[in-house]
Amino acid sequence: MIGIALRTLRFHRGGLAASFVGMFLGAAIVIGCGGLLESGIHRAAPPQRLGAAPIVVSGDQRYHGTAGDEVFSERVPVDAGLAGELASVPGVAGVAADVSFPVTLTRGGRRLAGHGWSSARLAPYTLVKGTAPSGQGGIVLPDRLGVRVGETVEALVRGGVERYRVSGLVGGAGDGAFLADAEALRAAGRPGKVDSIGLFTAPGADAAKVARDVERAVAGRQVSVLTGDERGLAENPDVMSEGEDLIPLAAAFGGLSAMVTVFVVAATLGLSIRRRRPQTALLRAVGATPGQIRRLIVGETMLMAVAATGLACLPGPHVGRWLLAAFAEAGVVPDTLAYRAGVVPVIAGTCTALLTALGAAFVAAHAAARTRPVEALADASRETHRFSRFRIVLGLAFLGGGAALAWGTAKSDGPDAAGVATPAAMVWTAGFALLGPVLATAVTAALRRPLRAATGCAGFLATENARARTSRLTGAVLPVMLAAGLALALTYMQTTQTEGAREVFRDGLRADLAVTSRAGGLPLDAVDRIARRPGVAAASAQVTSTGYIEPAELAGPPAGDGDAGEGAPKPPAMALLGVTASGVTGTTAFRATSGSLDALDGASVALPERFAAPYRIGDTVPMRLGDGGRAALRLVATVRTRPGYETALLPAATLLPHTGTGLVPQIMVAVRPGTDPARLAGTLARGEPGLRVADRAALSALRADQDRTQAWMSWLVLAVVVGYAAIALVNAQILAVGERRRQFRLLRLVGAARRQVLRMMAVEAVLVTAAGLAAGTLVAAATLVPLSLSVLDAPVPHGSPWILGTVIAAALALTLAATLLPTLALLRGRPGATGDRF
């Protein structure tokens, strides 16, 4: 039978080409998503500014001992004294400690990264003019800025204006500004702390052995010894946390693509094999066994699948690189994260495609193989088989799983609901696809009379065709359901989540103005200065970070490297907001449900009610702040927050030393009644150098821009997955029409005009679109209603009705075009012509 399969492939080019395209595109997307997943696991970030040091020591960003090793959100600092210890490690020829801080030139507003001069050798930078900075007041700038040696420049550093004399110019691709080491440590605002330490090895020393010796020297401390691409983690610690986000994103994206591939290939292959039912019936009539029929179909399919997946291995990694670059451009992941994927994603994608093809081939061959020889020829002309009990049971099982996930979605916190809703959409899609014949039959029955009344004979022929060939109708409906259901579910999922986040922002905003600085932040004493300005009712710092309530079993010294074992605790994580006690109630919606927010001073905290249950007012709450620092904070109040958006309030003075810059990024200002906010904004902006003041409308617009940036990722996923489903829709419709050659010829021979046949096919396209949209709408509704209940506390998802209208119009247009254009091609010849193939 394999020999027959090889010899007959060329006679079924149309059907196999449709399945080939589906497998090729699906395998390429799955391979690309697998590469994204592996890149998220490796989190490689090739070093740039620290590239000259073969070994880099930086703070370990992992929260050891927790389930999954949580990642601290802020940079974990390193003791400056460690540099001297490491200099004595055998094989270390030199050390260079590095700190980073923002420097903004007042002329032109150019933003630079400030460092100490001793770290210039890490890049390395080359001094092209002048001398190194020495003492207070000297600075070295990039030569491409157009400044001259000896010139005096003004720069915003730590929220204030500093005057520097340009002592030298450096060449290089970076945007580094260099101060004397002592001056840089003062500007960084972390006394006794540095960001990282670069180690230079002696000539002839084994860098790997030196790295092992360094690891032994720092054992038991919250530091990491980095070599190779890992050194980039010291430059951008966000790669650890944001790069980790790439893992669930790639897994969800790849899983969704794989599911679409399964149904697309099954639908197109099923249609292709149904076209060959007369040939299969003839083989059964002349003595072919069911096993031989299965081997024939499976052999043909696997030959085609091997070719399709083999070709997909070439563009697959490029798809992954393109997706990673797109995510980085949108700000979803750091742009320093490198695409690192080996053979595992290729093997996984290839195996997925081959197993999909194999399963689809067995399913498609089942009806033909189980036919008895005496029924074969009759079975070739009319459809007699009902779909199996196993399919019914499996479909109902998937619907049950979808219902369970829907319940989980509705009970999830708002920000986490999409993580449950996405697999729920997959499960619902599988269930409705397996029960497709029932849905198609129901829609056909419901539309039979309206279509016949509206279109006459064309409607009669179309509905009778649909009723007689349910399997063919189902194969054509499935891609429409996939494209429409996923488009509606993913689009309204994004708009609903965006609206939920926007509601939380609007509900929490009480300030009229927000003050920021071009310097990258403001000193904490600027809050008091602004609060004393005429017309200001209240002012509060707003410092954001993320922290954990530390479990008792992790209260000891930091654990060393290694994964946490089974049963490791998962500490409660929450957003941290550093505020000013005197202005928090005037500028935010936070209100104490117990205790008092006025007591937020020193080592204190106000916890969300959800996490405050084990404690009483006055108790000490052990916490780990954003940079891994431990803090024993006195509970002074509890606050009510929306589930999933819990925020703990700390005094800004307590939180600032545990943030990256140690500066206040934003000061919220409430305006006194009777004061013009616009005039006050102008007064505040003139009050201090580099200040920027935004009103409430500008804050809302900024929030909308951030939402759009996050939504861009979802739109990309939507475009790729739904675009693939749309291609499959066109493939399936062309394939389904190609099966109708004999029917068209017969209709023409009995007197039907081309126009009449086209009207019949147009009505069938409408029927297919209606059935697909009905099933797709059920998938979307079953996914979105629980999500909306979780995010908006309402059953109706947020989003424009034009989205629904666009999906309906696009599905109808694609289905009509993919149906009528092939029909026109088939009707070009004379009714009695023979020997043509589609």
Side-chain angles (χ1 to χ4, degrees):
M1 298 306 287
I2 299 300
I4 296 176
L6 287 171
R7 289 192 292 272
T8 58
L9 276 176
R10 61 192 179 94
F11 296 105
H12 312 295
R13 291 191 297 268
L16 293 178
S19 299
F20 181 93
V21 170
M23 289 184 192
F24 172 79
L25 293 176
I29 295 173
V30 172
I31 289 172
C33 291
L36 282 181
L37 181 63
E38 188 170 348
S39 299
I41 294 172
H42 289 311
R43 278 170 278 182
Q48 300 174 20
R49 192 173 52 80
L50 304 178
I55 304 171
V56 175
V57 176
S58 70
D60 188 351
Q61 296 294 134
R62 292 172 296 176
Y63 189 176
H64 290 290
T66 60
D69 273 355
E70 301 284 345
V71 178
F72 293 117
S73 60
E74 309 283 351
R75 178 188 287 277
V76 177
V78 178
D79 288 334
L82 184 60
E85 297 181 35
L86 298 179
S88 61
V89 174
V92 175
V95 298
D98 178 58
V99 293
S100 298
F101 52 91
V103 175
T104 303
L105 300 181
T106 57
R107 187 177 64 186
R110 184 65 178 268
R111 184 82 173 266
L112 304 172
H115 308 283
W117 175 249
S118 64
S119 65
R121 60 188 294 208
L122 294 171
Y125 285 90
T126 303
L127 190 65
V128 295
K129 287 184 180 179
T131 61
S134 59
Q136 187 174 355
I139 191 172
V140 171
L141 295 174
D143 59 347
R144 66 175 179 279
L145 295 183
V147 297
R148 298 186 303 272
V149 174
E151 182 179 347
T152 298
V153 296
E154 288 187 345
L156 296 172
V157 179
R158 292 204 62 75
V161 178
E162 301 284 349
R163 295 173 61 86
Y164 295 102
R165 186 183 66 85
V166 180
S167 63
L169 301 175
V170 292
D175 285 328
F178 297 94
L179 306 178
D181 289 345
E183 183 72 5
L185 288 174
R186 183 190 67 81
R190 281 188 166 185
K193 302 289 185 180
V194 296
D195 294 340
S196 57
I197 302 171
L199 306 181
F200 299 89
T201 56
D206 183 356
K209 181 179 182 303
V210 174
R212 290 193 296 270
D213 291 340
V214 171
E215 287 177 349
R216 285 192 288 269
V218 299
R221 310 187 199 189
Q222 190 74 25
V223 298
S224 294
V225 180
L226 309 174
T227 58
D229 281 351
E230 289 184 338
R231 292 173 293 169
L233 300 177
E235 295 181 20
N236 187 3
D238 290 340
V239 173
M240 281 293 290
S241 56
E242 296 179 14
E244 191 176 51
D245 294 340
L246 189 61
I247 297 175
L249 172 62
F253 195 177
L256 195 61
S257 302
M259 181 208 68
V260 174
T261 302
V262 169
F263 289 109
V264 164
V265 173
T268 54
L269 189 60
L271 285 171
S272 173
I273 291 174
R274 272 191 292 274
R275 288 182 60 186
R276 298 163 51 189
R277 183 167 292 169
Q279 297 94 321
T280 305
L282 181 60
L283 287 173
R284 288 290 288 126
V286 299
T289 66
Q292 289 175 319
I293 296 296
R294 289 191 185 94
R295 287 198 296 274
L296 171 66
I297 295 173
V298 171
E300 286 182 353
T301 304
M302 295 312 295
L303 287 172
M304 177 264 298
V306 169
T309 54
L311 288 176
C313 292
L314 299 177
H318 296 288
V319 172
R321 290 189 179 90
W322 175 76
L323 288 172
L324 182 61
F327 289 152
E329 184 178 356
V332 178
V333 297
D335 56 4
T336 55
L337 187 65
Y339 183 82
R340 290 288 187 270
V343 298
V344 174
V346 176
I347 294 173
T350 301
C351 290
T352 299
L354 292 178
L355 290 173
T356 296
L358 184 63
F362 271 113
V363 172
H366 179 67
R370 70 178 180 173
T371 304
R372 294 192 298 270
V374 295
E375 298 175 346
L377 294 180
D379 196 53
S381 63
R382 65 186 179 90
E383 194 171 277
T384 59
H385 292 298
R386 300 180 182 272
F387 62 113
S388 65
R389 293 181 181 177
F390 175 75
R391 182 170 179 172
I392 296 176
V393 172
L394 189 60
L396 293 175
F398 272 107
L399 293 184
L405 288 173
W407 177 262
T409 303
K411 294 300 181 182
S412 298
D413 294 337
D416 303 327
V420 187
T422 301
M426 301 182 194
V427 176
W428 283 120
T429 301
F432 285 119
L434 289 167
L435 299 178
V438 175
L439 294 173
T441 301
V443 172
T444 302
L447 295 179
R448 181 180 295 120
R449 289 186 178 181
L451 286 176
R452 289 181 180 183
T455 60
C457 182
F460 173 80
L461 290 175
T463 54
E464 286 302 310
N465 280 328
R467 186 176 63 84
R469 292 287 184 179
T470 305
S471 296
R472 183 176 65 199
L473 177 66
T474 303
V477 164
L478 181 55
V480 181
M481 182 197 76
L482 282 172
L486 291 176
L488 290 172
L490 294 178
T491 302
Y492 281 114
M493 188 184 300
Q494 176 57 45
T495 55
T496 300
Q497 284 189 294
T498 300
E499 179 61 18
R502 191 178 293 127
E503 279 188 1
V504 172
F505 176 76
R506 287 196 300 259
D507 293 343
L509 184 62
R510 294 292 184 272
D512 301 295
L513 302 173
V515 181
T516 60
S517 173
R518 287 188 300 159
L522 292 156
L524 185 58
D525 57 11
V527 179
D528 292 333
R529 292 199 300 271
I530 290 175
R532 290 193 295 267
R533 301 294 291 271
V536 175
S540 173
Q542 191 171 65
V543 185
T544 58
S545 186
T546 304
Y548 305 89
I549 296 178
E550 187 160 43
E553 54 266 45
L554 298 180
D561 290 347
D563 296 331
E566 290 187 11
K570 187 173 181 60
M574 69 192 76
L576 304 180
L577 183 63
V579 296
T580 306
S582 59
V584 62
T585 56
T587 57
T588 72
F590 290 107
R591 298 293 182 269
T593 55
S594 64
S596 173
L597 296 181
D598 293 335
L600 280 171
D601 185 38
S604 59
V605 65
L607 287 180
E609 290 180 319
R610 180 176 181 178
F611 299 116
Y615 305 98
R616 295 181 179 180
I617 300 298
D619 286 353
T620 298
V621 181
M623 297 192 69
R624 294 291 288 269
L625 303 183
D627 66 346
R630 285 191 168 91
L633 305 178
R634 179 172 47 87
L635 182 64
V636 297
T638 61
V639 292
R640 180 176 291 114
T641 55
R642 195 165 177 173
Y645 298 92
E646 288 85 3
T647 301
L649 305 181
L650 284 76
T654 301
L655 187 58
L656 276 177
H658 300 278
T659 60
T661 63
L663 298 174
V664 178
Q666 192 168 243
I667 298 175
M668 308 304 292
V669 177
V671 178
R672 288 185 183 278
T675 301
D676 182 8
R679 178 174 296 179
L680 178 60
T683 303
L684 293 177
R686 292 189 298 270
E688 297 196 26
L691 286 191
R692 293 174 175 172
V693 183
D695 58 14
R696 187 187 294 264
L699 287 174
S700 299
L702 179 62
R703 175 70 192 191
D705 288 339
Q706 294 173 347
D707 290 338
R708 281 192 289 271
T709 298
Q710 294 299 319
W712 193 93
M713 174 187 65
S714 297
W715 301 136
L716 177 62
V717 173
L718 177 69
V720 173
V721 174
V722 176
Y724 173 44
I727 292 172
L729 184 157
V730 174
N731 266 349
Q733 299 308 319
I734 293 174
L735 195 58
V737 172
E739 184 186 358
R740 313 285 290 278
R741 181 179 297 275
R742 280 188 174 185
Q743 181 187 4
F744 294 164
R745 187 179 299 151
L746 179 60
L747 288 171
R748 295 293 307 283
L749 286 173
V750 298
R754 286 187 178 90
R755 176 177 53 83
Q756 291 173 313
V757 177
L758 285 173
R759 286 188 65 191
M760 178 191 74
M761 294 303 294
V763 174
E764 285 197 32
V766 171
L767 190 60
V768 167
T769 305
L773 287 172
T777 303
L778 286 175
V779 170
T783 303
L784 294 172
V785 169
L787 176 80
S788 184
L789 288 172
S790 172
V791 176
L792 302 178
D793 291 328
V796 180
H798 177 82
S800 170
W802 285 105
I803 297 173
L804 177 60
T806 302
V807 171
I808 293 174
L812 181 60
L814 282 175
T815 307
L816 282 171
T819 302
L820 298 182
L821 293 178
T823 302
L824 280 171
L826 289 176
L827 295 175
R828 283 182 304 181
R830 296 189 308 274
T834 59
D836 49 353
R837 289 192 310 271
F838 184 73

